[in-house]
Amino acid sequence: MKKILVTGGSGFLGSHLCDRLISRGDDVLCVDNFFTGSKQNVKHLLTHPNFELMRHDVTFPLYVEVNQIFNLACPASPVHYQHDPVQTTKTSVHGAINMLGLAKRVGARILQASTSEVYGDPEVHPQPESYWGKVNPIGIRSCYDEGKRCAETLFFDYHRQHNLDIKVVRIFNTYGPRMHPNDGRVVSNFIVQALQGRDITIYGDGSQTRSFCYVDDLIEAFLKMMETEHGFTGPVNIGNPCEFSMLQLAELVLKHTQSKSKLIFNPLPSDDPKQRKPDISLAQQKLDWIPKVSLEDGLKETISYFKKILPTI
């Protein structure tokens, strides 16, 4: 049995990770300040003897004894990370410093949940890990993009300077049950609007593309990455390379919700990437991992979840 710390553990990704860790017999310490996470996401785990929930903000040091750390703490949608951009940067940067310091003290292996946003609005397509990105350092998304880039810098400097055992994954668009209904992300936006019979809002002309990875596939990659050999640090792209335009996504949501919602078009937000698709050849080679859940199957599960929770919010 490992003692594993999951920061941001009551959030969308964190709660699914806690589920998997508990199901395989690990002892899990879930840490969250509940800015975007919800106790509801881990409510079913609260009575489990191997699960502990702690309210804590990673911008402050944490003193616990653990074997592994999954550092997921940070608001990940524009609505949430732009609400308090200074705090968003602090969460990425101070949070990384505090969790790296903890890992160094207790000799733990630590995984950083980074993001495809480190590539910015890419000039290379699809994006390999070797691409350095095209990021605006002073835009409205910079608090998140540059915060995550700086966190990666800190991870690699701790690795070089202190021989810390680090793992870095770059997450591309992920969706599934427990997404926050008001997070402003395209999948949750479209589903909520369709289920409520409101117009579906498309930004730009709908031709911009994203690659959507179902949450179960992503968590599997997390676990595989954490178990790779010492010395393999990443970064590793984790995402689904099947590319869809916003119009294609909207049509699939309309089909599976059987909604009569109409499509409306609004101006594209500042610094919004026009293309996003991972090159996952490194994940295939090092993790023996490829995503298995199709967008249609994943959307059915996600729509089913939103049908249950929408009457309660």
Side-chain angles (χ1 to χ4, degrees):
M1 178 190 290
K2 297 188 184 84
K3 178 76 175 179
I4 301 180
L5 167 62
V6 180
T7 72
S10 72
F12 164 44
L13 298 181
S15 62
H16 284 278
L17 176 60
C18 288
D19 280 344
R20 283 292 301 275
L21 295 172
I22 288 291
S23 71
R24 73 178 195 183
D26 291 315
D27 197 4
V28 175
L29 173 59
C30 170
V31 165
D32 210 297
N33 69 351
F34 304 114
F35 173 57
T36 57
S38 166
K39 288 181 186 175
Q40 197 66 34
N41 288 339
V42 292
K43 184 180 178 183
H44 60 288
L45 295 174
L46 292 176
T47 57
H48 197 287
N50 292 355
F51 182 80
E52 182 181 354
L53 178 62
M54 177 192 295
R55 180 187 288 270
H56 180 81
D57 190 316
V58 295
T59 60
F60 297 94
L62 181 63
Y63 301 99
V64 292
E65 304 299 319
V66 293
N67 308 114
Q68 293 182 349
I69 302 167
F70 288 86
N71 187 36
L72 276 59
C74 190
S77 71
V79 167
H80 292 139
Y81 67 62
Q82 290 168 4
H83 172 73
D84 188 345
V86 172
Q87 184 64 24
T88 296
T89 304
K90 287 172 69 176
T91 300
S92 285
V93 177
H94 291 190
I97 291 169
N98 288 329
M99 291 306 109
L100 288 162
L102 171 60
K104 181 188 169 194
R105 181 178 70 81
V106 300
R109 175 173 282 189
I110 181 169
L111 180 145
Q112 167 69 0
S114 190
T115 173
S116 61
E117 300 298 336
V118 300
Y119 298 123
D121 189 3
E123 296 167 312
V124 174
H125 192 76
Q127 294 81 56
E129 292 86 353
S130 57
Y131 177 54
W132 289 358
K134 179 194 171 193
V135 178
N136 177 1
I138 58 169
I140 59 172
R141 300 169 68 104
S142 307
C143 58
Y144 184 70
D145 301 2
E146 295 288 38
K148 287 288 192 178
R149 283 166 69 95
C150 185
E152 285 197 17
T153 300
L154 286 161
F155 265 70
F156 279 87
D157 282 338
Y158 263 79
H159 173 64
R160 286 184 284 258
Q161 192 169 335
H162 303 296
N163 197 32
L164 198 66
D165 191 1
I166 68 163
K167 307 289 177 185
V168 177
V169 293
R170 291 175 176 164
I171 302 168
F172 283 68
N173 287 58
T174 305
Y175 70 100
R178 300 182 197 156
M179 291 185 83
H180 196 294
N182 301 316
D183 67 3
R185 298 192 213 196
V186 66
V187 172
S188 51
N189 263 7
F190 284 4
I191 292 174
V192 170
Q193 289 169 341
L195 289 176
Q196 294 180 336
R198 296 186 283 132
D199 291 338
I200 289 183
T201 308
I202 293 178
Y203 294 95
D205 61 6
S207 64
Q208 68 271 34
T209 65
R210 295 292 183 273
S211 306
F212 301 102
C213 184
Y214 189 63
V215 61
D216 289 357
D217 284 332
L218 184 91
I219 299 304
E220 181 67 23
F222 274 15
L223 299 176
K224 283 175 173 281
M225 182 62 176
M226 190 57 110
E227 300 307 319
T228 53
E229 72 272 21
H230 182 85
F232 177 66
T233 60
V236 176
N237 289 337
I238 304 298
N240 193 319
C242 296
E243 199 174 3
F244 292 87
S245 72
M246 298 302 96
L247 279 174
Q248 288 174 309
L249 176 66
E251 286 161 5
L252 280 174
V253 168
L254 287 173
K255 172 185 169 184
H256 290 293
T257 56
Q258 297 182 314
S259 172
K260 299 292 191 290
S261 296
K262 293 183 172 56
L263 305 183
I264 61 168
F265 295 84
N266 285 346
L268 201 63
S270 175
D271 298 330
D272 193 60
K274 294 171 187 64
Q275 285 182 307
R276 189 58 62 70
K277 175 182 176 179
D279 178 336
I280 62 165
S281 51
L282 185 62
Q284 289 175 279
Q285 175 196 341
K286 290 289 190 178
L287 310 183
D288 188 27
W289 175 88
I290 56 169
K292 296 174 180 172
V293 181
S294 70
L295 181 58
E296 288 218 32
D297 288 343
L299 280 177
K300 288 174 190 173
E301 294 295 323
T302 311
I303 289 165
S304 175
Y305 168 76
F306 277 111
K307 281 181 177 176
K308 288 176 193 163
I309 68 156
L310 280 181
T312 69
I313 59 172

